[in-house]
Amino acid sequence: MAELPIAELPPARCSGRFTISTLLGTEEGGHGPYTPTESSGCDSAQPTQLSGSTLCTRTFGYNTVDVVPAYEHYANSKGVGDTRKGRPSLADLHSILKPDPGHLCAPVSDPQRSNGLTEASPEETSAEPGTDPALEPVRFGWVKGVMIRCMLNIWGVILYLRLPWITAQAGIALTWLIILMSVTVTTITGLSISAISTNGKVKSGGTYFLISRSLGPELGGSIGLIFAFANAVAVAMHTVGFAETVRDLLQEHNSLIVDPTNDIRIIGVVTVTVLLGISLAGMEWEAKAQILFFLVILVSFINYLVGTVIPATAEKQAKGFFSYRADIFAQNFVPNWRGPEGSFFSLFSIFFPSATGILAGANISGDLKDPAVAIPKGTLMAIFWTTMSYLVLSATIGACVVRDASGSLNDSVALGSPGCEGLACTFGWNFTACAQRQSCRYGLSNYYQSMSMVSGFGPLITAGIFGATLSSALACLVSAPKVFQCLCRDQLYPLIGFFGKGYGRNSEPIRGYMLTYIIAVGFILIAELNAIAPIISNFFLCSYALINFSCFHASITNSPGWRPSFRYYSKWAALFGAAVSVVIMFLLTWWAALIAFGIVIFLLGYVLYKKPDVNWGSSMQASSYNMALNYSVGLSEVDEHIKNYRPQCLVLTGPPNFRPALVDFVGTFTKNLSLMLCGNVLIAPRKQKMPDSWLTADGHTKWLMKRKIKAFYTDVVAENLRSGVQMLIQAAGLGKMRPNILVLGYKRNWRTASPQSLEDYVGILQYGHTSSSVPGDARTWWWPCSWVQGMLWPHAGSATQHETATANLLLLPPSSDAFDFKYGVCLMRMKEGLNVSQVLQAHMDPTTLACEQQASTIFQSEQGKKTIDIYWLFDDGGLTLLIPYLMGRKKRWGKCKIRVFVGGQINRMDEERKVIVSLLSKFRLGFHEVHILPDINQKPQPEHIKRFDDLIAPFRLNDGFKDEAIVNEMRQGCPWKISDEEIDKNRVKSLRQVRLNEILLDYSRDAALIAITPPVGRKGCPSSLYMAWLETLSQDLRPPVILIRGNQENVLTFYCQ
């Protein structure tokens, strides 16, 4: 915590100890005793980060830049006209802030804000241009906004026209079971909605918003699109239901407009146009219309219940109504299956759509005062009251009306008349004839308008049917544009952004309304929705399944961010609800379920392919972390085996975009196979402030992703290169997911570089062979292409350039123990070099890396029918063979022929070749072309020997073969110098490198890639001599040269166990 000097603050205004109530009360009222005014200066280096609640940087009696908790610190976006507040950063708290007279501030308390902890406006979105901030949008509570809307959408024509018939078929008992089974699914879904909607602030978008923010854009986007379309088509379906009822009334009175089909089209288009007008008038008018429909339906229910207790007239008795009778209730309590639809699941599939509609309130979440309270309370109350209405209706009508009745007044008989069968005989009516012929026109089993017949006033039931259909159509007409608008604003799909614009204080999606209207009119003109209705039901069920799965998935991932305030849910119940919803989809219409799944999978695949740049903290992200953690921990319990060896590479690239060839080379053979880790050492004094590490890493990671390289990036800040490398080599990896190959670029400027950098480079190579976190572990490390600027560039720059390039290098530091740990090492040398930082002007903003033009390298192009030449000169455990083999498995290198070269004697060439071919065949690598090099031990050309001597001449000590003590004294301060004795002792090894270079030029001048086993310098070998060997071995070669040296432990085996 950075404290400010007390003496430098105005004592009159900012003195004394404050309590929390004093602080908050001052800001609330704006006139407290310690309220800052314009004349009171508050010293702050960053005044915009200090809220008024800190009271001139004095909090709880001492001076600090800390601020008290405030809502604005946690809000994703600021309210209209509100100045954004923010808490100070760690750097602000840690640093010493000096008062700056130019930054005097006077925090002004906001009288509209109570204590800094209150919430902002219900919808924290930016206002549309031209919107008056003074106009408050219309918001609804849980009754008007959710409960009534859901009840109206749940109630439908099935309630009036099909529930009595279902009661006759299944009986009261099984009808209740059907109702309760349907309600179980919707209740579980309602609980899941309640949990999701109370896990954070809910904005507009309804079902799409809940699913997408929980499961991610992939599933959320697909469901959002089909759910919006299903609602648009549902407008047509409910409107056609209304139009058919009106058409039937016109037919009864012989008053058809044109003909039955065209009358449906005319009435439907006129009706949906009127509904559109109500919607465009605003949510307030739409809510008033819904209340009107709600009252009509309630009156129709009351009318029905009153009718059940009114004594039945002779006309009603002839149609099967006898008021409440225990005998009728007992007979209708058991099922009486009839016709092709006379089965439990057939009736269940008919009734279930009448239980849906519970998402109507959630779909207008942006228009609710408090969605977190309104959605759970309103949805669950709507489910409860509609369930009660279904149960009461089925029980009452089952206790009043018999299953079969003729409707003829002539069928009345005296009680006990012979030949009369059936329950109606006990009430003085003989319906035996029509019942036996199955020609009865009335009764529960035959007359769909039984509710109208039972009611006190029949036209009120018709009005109820009108209210149910029109309210459902209006709810869908409002839901579709609201959901679609949120989807358009997220820009998950192309060509739909036009419909995301909102108008007015409620940001009404007028363009979405017009699109929904066009779709609805199109389907109304078809005038036949029997084939489309099952698809709509399956789309809604698909939404239910995903909502339940969202709740289950968010719970099972144990994410700390899953903290719903609604506690009355169960993750296992949610999973059960998701499974049951899928089963019901296939029970309703299996082909429609397949179509729904096909559309969801297609839209899901599109979003997965496009990978939209959104981050909503979904449960899928939490699940990915859980899976990675569990598998990584589980991997630690797996014993290593040669058969499962994978080359896991630590690539010292520096910034990866500086050395794209090195990145592409390693990425070629590690993709979908093993670990690749790019490391970077940022060199800076310990106290120097560095840029945000996460920002730098994010930029480099995005660059790797854009290049389609599956790799990790990590960086460390160190005072020097060696210590930074030590940090990386000790900390890189996790458990068994640790690098085992060290890859680096060849140091091209070793002759002109500083002696210390030369010592470090060769020391790293030697340590690379002899360092590992686990002794005996078969590991190999890859190092960056260069440690300093000159590493890859033939001419060293100025001291400033040298320091600049070094600061961006990516290195892997060696261990302090030379032979305690084992690694494989790989150096990569290209004729044109690897470092392209000068071309990229080196210090590019990390946030722009993903946008830069990608540099092309040889490893990204097709290699054709070239060769990959392997010079397996020494047995290193097989790593020299394995890396080229993995390269050859890739498509770009698949046509290349792999040739293996080994040393041998001229008089035993055939025998040695057979031995090597037999060994390679046991490894199953597919290498069949083997060449023996009998002339490997020949003396090189004199001019090449002279070139080597000239190469090491500047590094010779020229001691004249003096004794060791004198040589060590002469070499003090310059350990890289080569004594005459060392030159003589290593003469044969030096000439071998010269000869090998001649062989490489003869055999592999036109190869696509050369892999060769490099020499290993013994202890005490001067760094300049070792670099001279590497330089001589790989010079003048056009193809990329890979110097691979394993750790002398097997990475290949020909055994199956």
Side-chain angles (χ1 to χ4, degrees):
M1 180 180 296
E3 297 188 358
L4 297 179
I6 298 179
E8 297 183 8
L9 293 173
R13 290 284 181 181
C14 303
S15 61
R17 181 175 298 277
F18 306 113
T19 64
I20 293 180
S21 60
T22 304
L23 292 174
L24 300 183
T26 300
E27 188 173 342
E28 179 180 14
H31 302 287
Y34 301 103
T35 303
T37 64
E38 294 183 359
S39 61
S40 63
C42 302
D43 299 321
S44 172
Q46 292 181 345
T48 58
Q49 289 188 342
L50 302 178
S51 68
S53 58
T54 58
L55 296 175
C56 300
T57 72
R58 278 182 176 267
T59 306
F60 311 123
Y62 62 92
N63 302 320
T64 177
V65 297
D66 261 340
V67 295
V68 297
Y71 173 85
E72 293 80 1
H73 301 161
Y74 298 90
N76 288 330
S77 57
K78 57 187 178 182
V80 179
D82 184 25
T83 303
R84 182 68 180 271
K85 297 180 181 180
R87 68 174 69 88
S89 66
L90 281 175
D92 297 329
L93 298 176
H94 188 65
S95 61
I96 301 175
L97 297 180
K98 297 181 180 180
D100 185 358
H103 283 169
L104 296 179
C105 67
V108 179
S109 60
D110 187 356
Q112 300 297 328
R113 213 172 281 281
S114 61
N115 57 9
L117 294 175
T118 56
E119 294 191 5
S121 58
E123 186 65 34
E124 292 180 338
T125 55
S126 57
E128 295 292 335
T131 302
D132 186 359
L135 293 176
E136 287 294 330
V138 178
R139 305 295 183 191
F140 304 112
W142 69 272
V143 176
K144 185 192 265 189
V146 180
M147 189 185 77
I148 292 179
R149 190 175 300 273
C150 287
M151 291 178 70
L152 289 173
N153 213 20
I154 293 172
W155 284 328
V157 293
I158 292 178
L159 170 69
Y160 291 96
L161 303 182
R162 291 294 182 271
L163 188 57
W165 174 77
I166 292 174
T167 303
Q169 289 269 0
I172 297 174
L174 292 184
T175 299
W176 277 35
L177 180 61
I178 290 173
I179 294 171
L180 294 177
M181 285 177 59
S182 303
V183 170
T184 299
V185 177
T186 56
T187 302
I188 292 174
T189 307
L191 295 175
S192 299
I193 293 173
S194 302
I196 296 173
S197 62
T198 58
N199 188 53
K201 189 171 183 63
V202 178
K203 298 183 181 180
S204 61
T207 305
Y208 161 71
F209 184 88
L210 296 177
I211 296 178
S212 63
R213 270 52 175 181
S214 181
L215 285 180
E218 297 83 9
L219 285 172
S222 58
I223 283 299
L225 197 58
I226 66 173
F227 188 77
F229 178 77
N231 272 282
V233 179
V235 175
M237 184 178 69
H238 293 301
T239 305
V240 168
F242 168 78
E244 286 180 347
T245 306
V246 176
R247 188 269 318 267
D248 292 342
L249 290 176
L250 294 176
Q251 267 186 324
E252 290 180 8
H253 297 84
N254 296 320
S255 302
L256 288 176
I257 303 173
V258 181
D259 57 66
T261 302
N262 285 319
D263 280 8
I264 293 177
R265 292 169 178 163
I266 295 171
I267 298 170
V269 170
V270 172
T271 303
V272 78
T273 304
V274 173
L275 294 178
L276 176 65
I278 296 174
S279 301
L280 293 178
M283 289 298 297
E284 191 172 3
W285 283 97
E286 186 268 347
K288 291 178 179 178
Q290 293 285 30
I291 292 177
L292 176 62
F293 293 141
F294 182 73
L295 294 176
V296 170
I297 294 176
L298 284 184
V299 170
S300 69
F301 280 168
I302 295 172
N303 172 55
Y304 160 75
L305 292 175
V306 170
T308 59
V309 297
I310 296 176
T313 63
E315 183 179 356
K316 288 186 176 183
Q317 289 183 356
K319 294 180 179 180
F321 172 65
F322 298 98
S323 293
Y324 291 105
R325 300 295 179 98
D327 294 342
I328 298 178
F329 181 85
Q331 186 184 57
N332 289 335
F333 190 79
V334 295
N336 182 17
W337 310 111
R338 298 183 185 183
E341 295 175 336
S343 65
F344 180 82
F345 285 108
S346 295
L347 297 178
F348 177 81
S349 65
I350 292 172
F351 173 80
F352 184 80
S354 67
T356 61
I358 61 173
L359 301 178
N363 286 336
I364 63 163
S365 54
D367 297 299
L368 301 176
K369 292 179 181 178
D370 188 354
V373 173
I375 292 176
K377 196 171 182 180
T379 302
L380 295 178
M381 289 300 292
I383 293 174
F384 173 78
W385 288 117
T386 52
T387 302
M388 294 303 298
S389 67
Y390 285 141
L391 295 176
V392 168
L393 193 149
S394 63
T396 53
I397 203 165
C400 296
V401 184
V402 296
R403 285 192 169 100
D404 294 299
S406 63
S408 174
L409 295 175
N410 296 326
D411 289 337
S412 60
V413 294
L415 295 177
S417 299
C420 183
E421 300 178 1
L423 184 61
C425 296
T426 60
F427 308 128
W429 293 87
N430 185 4
F431 303 136
T432 306
C434 71
Q436 291 177 346
R437 293 194 304 267
Q438 295 184 355
S439 60
C440 295
R441 295 178 53 194
Y442 295 93
L444 285 182
S445 297
N446 310 291
Y447 189 47
Y448 290 154
Q449 300 286 350
S450 295
M451 279 189 66
S452 179
M453 180 263 296
V454 171
S455 65
F457 184 61
L460 285 180
I461 299 298
T462 303
I465 296 175
F466 288 171
T469 54
L470 293 179
S471 63
S472 297
L474 186 58
C476 292
L477 182 59
V478 171
S479 297
K482 296 284 186 181
V483 173
F484 193 60
Q485 181 186 39
C486 184
L487 178 64
C488 295
R489 287 177 172 174
D490 288 337
Q491 297 181 350
L492 300 182
Y493 299 101
L495 307 177
I496 63 174
F498 173 79
F499 298 99
K501 182 176 176 60
Y503 296 87
R505 56 182 179 176
N506 273 48
S507 188
E508 293 291 346
I510 295 179
R511 296 175 179 177
Y513 281 129
M514 299 309 299
L515 178 63
T516 304
Y517 173 76
I518 293 172
I519 294 174
V521 169
F523 281 97
I524 288 172
L525 294 178
I526 297 175
E528 181 56 57
L529 297 178
N530 289 339
I532 300 173
I535 301 179
I536 297 174
S537 298
N538 276 277
F539 282 164
F540 287 130
L541 279 169
C542 220
S543 303
Y544 293 174
L546 283 178
I547 287 175
N548 285 305
F549 183 75
S550 299
C551 182
F552 165 76
H553 198 263
S555 302
I556 204 68
T557 54
N558 293 322
S559 173
W562 175 249
R563 304 185 302 273
S565 57
F566 183 85
R567 301 292 183 181
Y568 306 102
Y569 73 95
S570 168
K571 59 185 177 183
W572 301 115
L575 179 62
F576 173 77
V580 171
S581 297
V582 174
V583 171
I584 293 175
M585 289 177 65
F586 285 91
L587 287 178
L588 292 179
T589 314
W590 65 267
W591 57 266
L594 293 178
I595 292 176
F597 275 111
I599 295 175
V600 170
I601 292 172
F602 173 77
L603 296 174
L604 171 65
Y606 176 82
V607 178
L608 287 173
Y609 173 75
K610 296 297 292 185
K611 295 181 179 177
D613 187 17
V614 294
N615 183 10
W616 296 326
S618 67
S619 61
M620 288 298 181
Q621 293 172 314
S623 177
S624 298
Y625 176 85
N626 276 1
M627 292 176 62
L629 179 62
N630 292 334
Y631 281 123
S632 297
V633 173
L635 190 61
S636 300
E637 303 174 1
V638 178
D639 295 332
E640 294 183 356
H641 194 281
I642 299 175
K643 288 168 58 178
N644 295 324
Y645 173 82
R646 295 171 185 263
Q648 303 184 125
C649 302
L650 175 60
V651 192
L652 298 178
T653 58
N657 60 314
F658 283 8
R659 298 170 180 86
L662 189 64
V663 172
D664 291 340
F665 164 64
V666 181
T668 299
F669 65 84
T670 59
K671 185 176 183 180
N672 299 326
L673 176 75
S674 58
L675 173 69
M676 176 180 174
L677 181 63
C678 297
N680 185 13
V681 174
L682 303 174
I683 299 178
R686 181 176 299 177
K687 295 184 179 180
Q688 178 178 333
K689 183 178 179 181
M690 299 299 296
D692 290 336
S693 176
W694 68 268
L695 187 63
T696 303
D698 185 63
H700 291 306
T701 301
K702 288 182 178 179
W703 183 88
L704 290 169
M705 293 173 62
K706 184 178 180 181
R707 203 172 182 85
K708 298 182 179 180
I709 299 294
K710 295 187 176 181
F712 297 98
Y713 171 85
T714 186
D715 53 30
V716 295
V717 179
E719 294 184 350
N720 56 66
L721 184 63
R722 178 60 63 88
S723 61
V725 171
Q726 290 172 345
M727 294 177 191
L728 280 175
I729 201 170
Q730 295 176 70
L734 181 67
K736 294 293 180 69
M737 297 287 292
R738 298 180 65 87
N740 56 19
I741 298 181
L742 177 64
V743 184
L744 68 159
Y746 179 72
K747 185 176 179 65
R748 300 179 64 198
N749 73 326
W750 65 274
R751 284 171 289 179
T752 56
S754 65
Q756 187 58 49
S757 68
L758 178 62
E759 282 291 298
D760 287 345
Y761 183 79
V762 176
I764 288 168
L765 289 179
Q766 299 300 322
Y767 285 129
H769 280 293
T770 59
S771 59
S772 171
S773 58
V774 181
D777 211 9
R779 301 194 168 202
T780 308
W781 290 80
W782 292 81
W783 287 79
C785 52
S786 69
W787 297 84
V788 293
Q789 182 183 19
M791 237 182 236
L792 299 178
W793 297 95
H795 304 292
S798 65
T800 302
Q801 293 173 331
H802 178 84
E803 292 172 0
T804 299
T806 304
N808 286 301
L809 284 180
L810 171 55
L811 307 169
L812 211 65
S815 171
S816 58
D817 300 321
F819 291 99
D820 289 344
F821 307 107
K822 296 182 180 180
Y823 288 91
V825 175
C826 177
L827 281 79
M828 180 177 179
R829 181 175 185 178
M830 295 182 67
K831 187 175 182 179
E832 64 275 14
L834 296 174
N835 196 332
V836 297
S837 60
Q838 290 183 347
V839 179
L840 297 176
Q841 299 177 352
H843 299 287
M844 182 178 296
D845 183 1
T847 60
T848 64
L849 292 179
C851 302
E852 72 172 64
Q853 185 176 0
Q854 297 279 348
S856 178
T857 67
I858 187 176
F859 298 98
Q860 290 184 319
S861 58
E862 294 286 341
Q863 298 302 313
K865 296 184 179 180
K866 297 180 181 179
T867 62
I868 299 176
D869 292 348
I870 305 172
Y871 288 83
W872 196 25
L873 304 179
F874 307 101
D875 190 354
D876 61 346
L879 186 64
T880 307
L881 297 174
L882 182 61
I883 298 299
Y885 165 74
L886 295 176
M887 294 282 292
R889 290 170 54 177
K890 302 302 178 180
K891 184 178 180 180
R892 292 190 179 99
W893 298 78
K895 296 181 180 179
C896 292
K897 181 171 60 175
I898 299 180
R899 303 188 297 179
V900 180
F901 296 84
V902 295
Q905 300 177 5
I906 191 169
N907 57 345
R908 301 181 62 228
M909 287 181 57
D910 292 340
E911 181 180 348
E912 291 180 350
R913 183 180 181 279
K914 289 179 181 178
V915 172
I916 297 299
V917 169
S918 175
L919 178 61
L920 293 177
S921 65
K922 293 183 187 309
F923 288 144
R924 306 173 305 281
L925 297 174
F927 301 164
H928 303 296
E929 187 170 343
V930 177
H931 297 267
I932 305 298
L933 303 174
D935 53 351
I936 193 172
N937 293 318
Q938 289 183 4
K939 189 175 181 179
Q941 297 295 325
E943 60 272 19
H944 295 156
I945 298 176
K946 183 179 183 301
R947 183 169 64 173
F948 176 78
D949 292 336
D950 294 340
L951 182 65
I952 63 173
F955 302 96
R956 294 190 62 168
L957 195 59
N958 295 320
D959 57 289
F961 293 95
K962 293 182 173 62
D963 59 39
E964 185 177 353
I966 298 176
V967 170
N968 290 338
E969 184 178 351
M970 295 176 63
R971 196 151 52 182
Q972 271 191 347
C974 51
W976 58 89
K977 290 286 188 177
I978 313 170
S979 67
D980 293 342
E981 183 181 356
E982 289 169 336
I983 292 177
D984 184 66
K985 184 172 59 176
N986 293 292
R987 188 64 178 177
V988 175
K989 197 168 189 177
S990 300
L991 293 180
R992 174 181 283 268
Q993 312 311 318
V994 178
R995 177 57 187 156
L996 283 174
N997 181 254
E998 293 177 349
I999 293 174
L1000 292 176
L1001 290 171
D1002 289 339
Y1003 287 94
S1004 303
R1005 187 181 300 270
D1006 298 323
L1009 181 70
I1010 299 174
I1012 185 170
T1013 310
V1016 176
R1018 295 186 178 274
K1019 278 187 177 180
C1021 178
S1023 57
S1024 54
L1025 178 59
Y1026 186 73
M1027 287 304 300
W1029 290 344
L1030 299 183
E1031 176 73 22
T1032 301
L1033 178 63
S1034 58
Q1035 66 186 352
D1036 299 334
L1037 293 171
R1038 184 196 60 80
V1041 180
I1042 310 299
L1043 303 172
I1044 307 176
R1045 186 79 195 203
N1047 63 356
Q1048 302 304 111
E1049 294 191 1
N1050 291 344
V1051 300
L1052 296 173
T1053 181
F1054 41 76
Y1055 294 108
C1056 62
Q1057 64 180 14

